[in-house]
Amino acid sequence: GGAAGAAVAQTAADGDPNILNLPEHSKGLGQPVAAEGYGKPSKFETNVQRRPSPGLTQTAQASVSFAPLQSLFGIVTPSGLHFERHHQGWWDIDPSKHRLMVNGSDAALLKRPLVFTMDELMRLPSVSRFHFIECGANTGMEWGNVAVPTCQYTHGMLSCSEFTGVPLRVLFDLCGVDYKRARYVLAEGADGSSMTRTVPMELVESGEVFVAYGQNGEMLRPEQGYPLRLVVPGVQGVSWVKYLRRLEVGDQPYGTKDETIHYIDLMPGGLHRQYTSTQECKSVVTTPSGGQVLLDKGYYQISGLAWSGRGKVRRVDLTTDGGRNWRTARLQDPVMSKCLTRFTLDWQWDGKPAIIQSRATDETGYVQPGTRQLRAVRGTRSIYHNNAIQSWLVEESGEVRNVQLA
Amino acid sequence: GGAAGAAVAQTAADGDPNILNLPEHSKGLGQPVAAEGYGKPSKFETNVQRRPSPGLTQTAQASVSFAPLQSLFGIVTPSGLHFERHHQGWWDIDPSKHRLMVNGSDAALLKRPLVFTMDELMRLPSVSRFHFIECGANTGMEWGNVAVPTCQYTHGMLSCSEFTGVPLRVLFDLCGVDYKRARYVLAEGADGSSMTRTVPMELVESGEVFVAYGQNGEMLRPEQGYPLRLVVPGVQGVSWVKYLRRLEVGDQPYGTKDETIHYIDLMPGGLHRQYTSTQECKSVVTTPSGGQVLLDKGYYQISGLAWSGRGKVRRVDLTTDGGRNWRTARLQDPVMSKCLTRFTLDWQWDGKPAIIQSRATDETGYVQPGTRQLRAVRGTRSIYHNNAIQSWLVEESGEVRNVQLA
Amino acid sequence: QPPYPGIGRTATPAELKAWDIDVRPDFKGLPKGAGPVSQGQDVWEARCAACHGTFGESNEVFSPLVGGTTAEDIKTGRVARLNDRTFPGRTTLMKVSTVSTLWDYINRAMPWNAPKSLKTDEVYAVTAYLLNLGGIVPDDFTLSDANIADVQKRLPNRNGVTTAHAMWPGKGMGKAGDFDVKAKACMHDCEAEPKVASLLPDFARNNNGNLAAQQRLVGPQRGVDTTRPPG
Amino acid sequence: QPPYPGIGRTATPAELKAWDIDVRPDFKGLPKGAGPVSQGQDVWEARCAACHGTFGESNEVFSPLVGGTTAEDIKTGRVARLNDRTFPGRTTLMKVSTVSTLWDYINRAMPWNAPKSLKTDEVYAVTAYLLNLGGIVPDDFTLSDANIADVQKRLPNRNGVTTAHAMWPGKGMGKAGDFDVKAKACMHDCEAEPKVASLLPDFARNNNGNLAAQQRLVGPQRGVDTTRPPG
Ligand code: HEC
Ligand code: HEC
Ligand SMILES: [Ca+2]
Ligand SMILES: [Ca+2]
Ligand SMILES: [Ca+2]
Ligand SMILES: [Ca+2]
Ligand SMILES: [Ca+2]
Ligand SMILES: [Ca+2]
Ligand SMILES: [Co+2]
Ligand SMILES: [Co+2]
């Protein structure tokens, strides 16, 4: 193991050659504007990629690629690094041909079923909001044991963007939905899987759910559902139906494949919890984190992400001694509801083994549980909704390892 | 003129063929995950590019490319579309060889001049904050007359990102800066122009100024100064020195080329204002805006951006009758200091000519001026700091034109 | 006059028919039709077996569809093997609690590489075949809109789900607000026993590729070179 | 012990020398040296004239450096032509108020395609040549660290700048807080005269390229096709 090519300042007696010998870029003429009409990251950043986890899925179209959380700053996920979860592959759909239909399970549930073009949807009143999206299966590989080495793989089915779109309530009002009877919404995609999920009408009535076309200032990316996806803040990603083609209102939940065969949580005793949707309060330290090597003893800023599907993060506590003693971290502004919150804390590493954990509390008072507390209630076979406290062991060598504690 | 290929729903008697004939993507298998480890926008979005304005500069390396504000949502600018302003071209600098030096104009101004590697800077306590950056010359072509057709060219030297980096005060404290005497900071870049600008120590002491390596979750883009740039919230972009290699503290301003020969504002009477730095409160309607054609009469959501270099936007008013009557727009959360704020307002277009303007007020009470009010004080030859109210004329044909009023 | 004149138009009956394909647990949305197990076997072998195996047992492209259910389960409506930690994997038939889901999903999404290419009767037939493989319907069974509700009563895991939890953010079901896991935020001298119980074995170190190539080249740390042993 | 042990190290004298190249208006930072106008002309013709023109008059790659200043300006320290709206462009010598700026900028950034390639004496010389072209120093002048302060006293626009404005966000200069433009937020029946006074003439319609290709293909509007006449 050990650090791969740490750049140690080669300071000769009179100074650093990187200072004494002026670099080419200080002595020449650089590249023109609009060399790229749409720019790319530096060539020195090619290690920062989204990646699938080998062996996790048997196909690449019903699969996952994970966001490299260990290399991200702040709360916004660059759209090029947004995690992917497809069930039947992704498409780049012509928006001029895309349609959204709104109908009822029976005709009496609304006054008129409507069809919208993208031109029409983009004319309607819109909102822009920052929200996290987390797959219900995020950290699912870790219910029983440590399975993967880095936070890209443990927590990387998580991203956060500024989404823009039309509150679903606006569309439903246009259709004359009977909110008394219509307590459930079915969302359906236009891809091969025509992904379907049931959403509670309460979240539509609150104004929170919207049909989004924008993400981080531009249109959604094809991998994230271009030109239209549902945004269901606080709820697991599978409900944020991509390539959204249809919304149906009904008086019963729909028991779709991804709420009857998957995204059901196996409890001790053999019952499955069905329609588990909320992403409960959770956090993870991203710096330092598994697979990294600290270059030196001394000061580090511990940094990570916290979020809750029930509202704002209220507090994050950090320990470096495996949970005996905790300190409260700084929360970075802005702290927004159902959005990632970045936290930081100062740490002097003395070079001895240390176990770092973070524990988030949300505005409802819910406290992120430890692995043992979570397992005591839910066992280890739920697959979904693992929001346990993550532990990183910093070894004397500086190597950081993913561990679970007794 | 007229709309270029508006997608009208071709609704046959029994329905839209885009619904009746299932599209390929509903009947096939799409692309795999991580087809792109770093993803790109849809191929249908290629019109959304940053662009130089023909004839504005004589070279492409001392030049500008403008962000396509007319196509952006929310407040975050996608990094690939961030406006560019280079004086001697851009570079993709190896971060392992980049250094930051902090020194004093004379030795007594600090206890020790220091050199930092990127490894070291990225270990220090960091902040992540959303801020706009606007070139002091933004809208500069429009001081005297209408010069360019779209808000990409009138206002596109404007972008907004979540920046991450180290408060400059942390570095200055490490150097033992004598804040009593050292009231000015010189920032210097590592590119050919080795761009220099003077920054007031007050903004460092307030904790606002930071040396940034992160932008929208990833590292800065090469065009924006990778691996290090200064962030000076509220101050014109030229002070946000890219490829930052050196900071010097001094007891006098530095009279650099870009504060003595450029970025000086010519006033009536022939005096130049020097060291004009603050970007005063300003706003622009981006939808609808110049160069667009409205597809139809009826409902539109007017939408735009407001910002102030002195703090938060407090209010935005909108008119559709060229300034006779105004309505107050909705401000989109979050409203942050020295950051773009998105505003929206409902509008029913009756198909008659309309003149749309927005007028922002910031938390200091400063009201964005009209063209006449601004010219009455500053004339028309300032080049920089044109924050006048923008007017868009919607013609009966639906075409929107950039106009200035009598 | 609507608030947004000219935006949105009424969907036609043909359009609704083309897109409104969902089938609910109460069979609302289910089109009329029928298909026998024997026809289902033909469809299966022609259109499904390549991926899922002749008996739905394959793990090549996805977890097995069939297996792990018993005649006893069909009686109780609870799949006993869901409690058997030694049983490898969990098949579709072990989990599915509503037969509508099978019908709906096959109809909308299968075959995976040619979704929506099956005729309605073929969906009935191939669903019948899968149910037959699971011993839920006999070899001579013909599944139809008329008898599917009876089949539901024989589904092995039909009683295997609950909505009694706090994770449905609506009032229609579940028990919102009542968290099942109640942790406390202890700050000092907490009970925690900082003993490592699980970590990746050294041989698995490089399973996710060389981590040195998965971390930024600059910053407070590097990626560990997992092509070399630890230490 | 510093709060961040091991982070940052003291810069060496050689490093400071290599990078601390700025020259302030009070000439702090100016290295010793000298260069005559005649040598400056050689440097200019070899290294600068291709871009800026033999007499600094070219507008090919950048606005002209020289021109527009008079002997009278040298006396008053104010460039009169800055008030002459008919005078085309504003040259560098018309604007620059501190001679240190010229020296510093040429030293750090010119020649544009080979910045920092000039020797110190060459910077003195070519600065002298530019000043000579502007009639600020005589043909036989040798600019040096010893006499540059005298040249400052002859700079045509040396009295042409003010910091009396509210746009310096510090207290060291300017008058922060006192806005010069005081608009009011009238809401109803405002004085505004909504008469169009300026718009792009039809012949300039396509100057920035076809706007139809500069707008998204979908949404509430399209880009106007500027290859065709308006209407
Ligand atoms: C080309 C490969 C392929 C073919 C052919 C195919 N399937 Fe599938 N099937 C898959 C994959 C992959 C999945 C998992 C999709 C996902 O993850 O969403 C799947 C999922 C399923 C499921 C859901 C299983 C579960 O537990 O979620 C059923 C049921 C199913 N297939 C039935 C069929 C039937 C019936 C046919 C033929 C009519 C068929 N499949 C043809 C690949 C295939
Ligand atoms: C290859 C072309 C090129 C050469 C050679 C060149 N320059 Fe320049 N010069 C430029 C450009 C382009 C600019 C504007 C840079 C910018 O926008 O920041 C410029 C700017 C300047 C300026 C600042 C003018 C202003 O008003 O901002 C001065 C002074 C100057 N050059 C002097 C020189 C001298 C002296 C030399 C030779 C030693 C030289 N130049 C060689 C292209 C050139
Ligand atoms: Ca239906
Ligand atoms: Ca200096
Ligand atoms: Ca319409
Ligand atoms: Ca499997
Ligand atoms: Ca060090
Ligand atoms: Ca010019
Ligand atoms: Co999923
Ligand atoms: Co600039």
Side-chain angles (χ1 to χ4, degrees), chain D residues 90-106:
Chain D
R90 289 168 235 169
T91 69
T92 305
L93 285 190
M94 285 169 72
K95 292 184 289 178
V96 66
S97 53
T98 41
V99 68
S100 64
T101 307
L102 272 185
W103 201 100
D104 174 89
Y105 179 66
I106 293 169

Short mmCIF file of all heavy atoms in Angstrom, two decimals, chain D residues 90-106:
data_model
loop_
_atom_site.label_atom_id
_atom_site.label_comp_id
_atom_site.label_asym_id
_atom_site.label_seq_id
_atom_site.Cartn_x
_atom_site.Cartn_y
_atom_site.Cartn_z
N ARG D 90 -9.53 55.14 -27.33
CA ARG D 90 -8.75 55.75 -26.26
C ARG D 90 -7.46 54.95 -26.14
O ARG D 90 -7.50 53.76 -25.81
CB ARG D 90 -9.51 55.69 -24.93
CG ARG D 90 -10.70 56.62 -24.89
CD ARG D 90 -11.61 56.34 -23.71
NE ARG D 90 -12.98 56.10 -24.17
CZ ARG D 90 -13.96 55.62 -23.39
NH1 ARG D 90 -13.73 55.31 -22.13
NH2 ARG D 90 -15.16 55.42 -23.89
N THR D 91 -6.34 55.58 -26.41
CA THR D 91 -5.07 54.86 -26.41
C THR D 91 -4.59 54.63 -24.97
O THR D 91 -5.07 55.26 -24.03
CB THR D 91 -3.99 55.64 -27.17
OG1 THR D 91 -3.68 56.82 -26.39
CG2 THR D 91 -4.47 56.04 -28.56
N THR D 92 -3.62 53.75 -24.86
CA THR D 92 -3.05 53.46 -23.54
C THR D 92 -2.48 54.73 -22.90
O THR D 92 -2.75 55.02 -21.73
CB THR D 92 -1.94 52.41 -23.69
OG1 THR D 92 -2.49 51.27 -24.36
CG2 THR D 92 -1.39 51.99 -22.33
N LEU D 93 -1.76 55.50 -23.69
CA LEU D 93 -1.13 56.70 -23.12
C LEU D 93 -2.15 57.75 -22.73
O LEU D 93 -1.89 58.59 -21.86
CB LEU D 93 -0.09 57.28 -24.08
CG LEU D 93 1.23 56.51 -24.20
CD1 LEU D 93 2.25 57.32 -24.99
CD2 LEU D 93 1.81 56.15 -22.83
N MET D 94 -3.32 57.73 -23.35
CA MET D 94 -4.37 58.67 -22.94
C MET D 94 -4.91 58.31 -21.55
O MET D 94 -5.38 59.18 -20.82
CB MET D 94 -5.53 58.65 -23.93
CG MET D 94 -5.25 59.37 -25.25
SD MET D 94 -6.54 59.01 -26.47
CE MET D 94 -7.93 59.94 -25.81
N LYS D 95 -4.86 57.03 -21.20
CA LYS D 95 -5.51 56.60 -19.96
C LYS D 95 -4.55 56.42 -18.79
O LYS D 95 -4.88 56.73 -17.64
CB LYS D 95 -6.23 55.26 -20.20
CG LYS D 95 -7.43 55.37 -21.13
CD LYS D 95 -8.16 54.04 -21.27
CE LYS D 95 -7.35 53.06 -22.08
NZ LYS D 95 -8.01 51.74 -22.20
N VAL D 96 -3.35 55.92 -19.07
CA VAL D 96 -2.50 55.48 -17.97
C VAL D 96 -2.10 56.66 -17.08
O VAL D 96 -1.69 57.72 -17.56
CB VAL D 96 -1.26 54.72 -18.50
CG1 VAL D 96 -0.32 55.63 -19.28
CG2 VAL D 96 -0.54 54.03 -17.34
N SER D 97 -2.28 56.49 -15.77
CA SER D 97 -2.03 57.59 -14.84
C SER D 97 -0.77 57.36 -14.00
O SER D 97 -0.33 58.27 -13.29
CB SER D 97 -3.24 57.78 -13.92
OG SER D 97 -3.56 56.55 -13.31
N THR D 98 -0.25 56.15 -14.05
CA THR D 98 0.98 55.87 -13.28
C THR D 98 1.94 55.13 -14.21
O THR D 98 1.58 54.10 -14.80
CB THR D 98 0.67 55.00 -12.04
OG1 THR D 98 -0.28 53.99 -12.39
CG2 THR D 98 0.10 55.84 -10.91
N VAL D 99 3.15 55.64 -14.31
CA VAL D 99 4.12 55.07 -15.24
C VAL D 99 4.60 53.69 -14.75
O VAL D 99 4.97 52.83 -15.54
CB VAL D 99 5.29 56.05 -15.50
CG1 VAL D 99 6.13 56.23 -14.25
CG2 VAL D 99 6.12 55.59 -16.68
N SER D 100 4.52 53.49 -13.44
CA SER D 100 4.86 52.16 -12.88
C SER D 100 4.04 51.07 -13.56
O SER D 100 4.52 49.96 -13.77
CB SER D 100 4.58 52.14 -11.37
OG SER D 100 3.18 52.32 -11.13
N THR D 101 2.80 51.40 -13.88
CA THR D 101 1.89 50.41 -14.46
C THR D 101 2.41 49.93 -15.82
O THR D 101 2.37 48.73 -16.12
CB THR D 101 0.50 51.04 -14.63
OG1 THR D 101 0.09 51.59 -13.39
CG2 THR D 101 -0.52 50.02 -15.11
N LEU D 102 2.88 50.86 -16.63
CA LEU D 102 3.43 50.50 -17.93
C LEU D 102 4.63 49.57 -17.75
O LEU D 102 4.73 48.52 -18.39
CB LEU D 102 3.91 51.75 -18.67
CG LEU D 102 2.90 52.49 -19.54
CD1 LEU D 102 3.62 53.62 -20.27
CD2 LEU D 102 2.25 51.54 -20.53
N TRP D 103 5.53 49.98 -16.88
CA TRP D 103 6.74 49.19 -16.65
C TRP D 103 6.37 47.79 -16.15
O TRP D 103 6.82 46.79 -16.68
CB TRP D 103 7.62 49.90 -15.61
CG TRP D 103 9.06 49.46 -15.69
CD1 TRP D 103 10.08 50.11 -16.29
CD2 TRP D 103 9.61 48.23 -15.16
NE1 TRP D 103 11.25 49.38 -16.20
CE2 TRP D 103 10.98 48.23 -15.51
CE3 TRP D 103 9.09 47.16 -14.47
CZ2 TRP D 103 11.83 47.17 -15.15
CZ3 TRP D 103 9.93 46.11 -14.12
CH2 TRP D 103 11.29 46.12 -14.46
N ASP D 104 5.51 47.77 -15.14
CA ASP D 104 5.12 46.50 -14.53
C ASP D 104 4.44 45.58 -15.53
O ASP D 104 4.72 44.39 -15.60
CB ASP D 104 4.17 46.77 -13.36
CG ASP D 104 3.59 45.50 -12.76
OD1 ASP D 104 4.23 44.94 -11.85
OD2 ASP D 104 2.50 45.05 -13.21
N TYR D 105 3.57 46.15 -16.33
CA TYR D 105 2.79 45.31 -17.24
C TYR D 105 3.65 44.77 -18.38
O TYR D 105 3.58 43.59 -18.72
CB TYR D 105 1.59 46.07 -17.79
CG TYR D 105 0.79 45.21 -18.73
CD1 TYR D 105 0.12 44.07 -18.27
CD2 TYR D 105 0.73 45.49 -20.09
CE1 TYR D 105 -0.58 43.25 -19.14
CE2 TYR D 105 0.02 44.68 -20.96
CZ TYR D 105 -0.62 43.55 -20.48
OH TYR D 105 -1.32 42.75 -21.34
N ILE D 106 4.49 45.63 -18.95
CA ILE D 106 5.38 45.15 -20.01
C ILE D 106 6.30 44.07 -19.46
O ILE D 106 6.52 43.03 -20.08
CB ILE D 106 6.19 46.33 -20.62
CG1 ILE D 106 5.23 47.27 -21.34
CG2 ILE D 106 7.28 45.82 -21.55
CD1 ILE D 106 5.86 48.60 -21.76
#
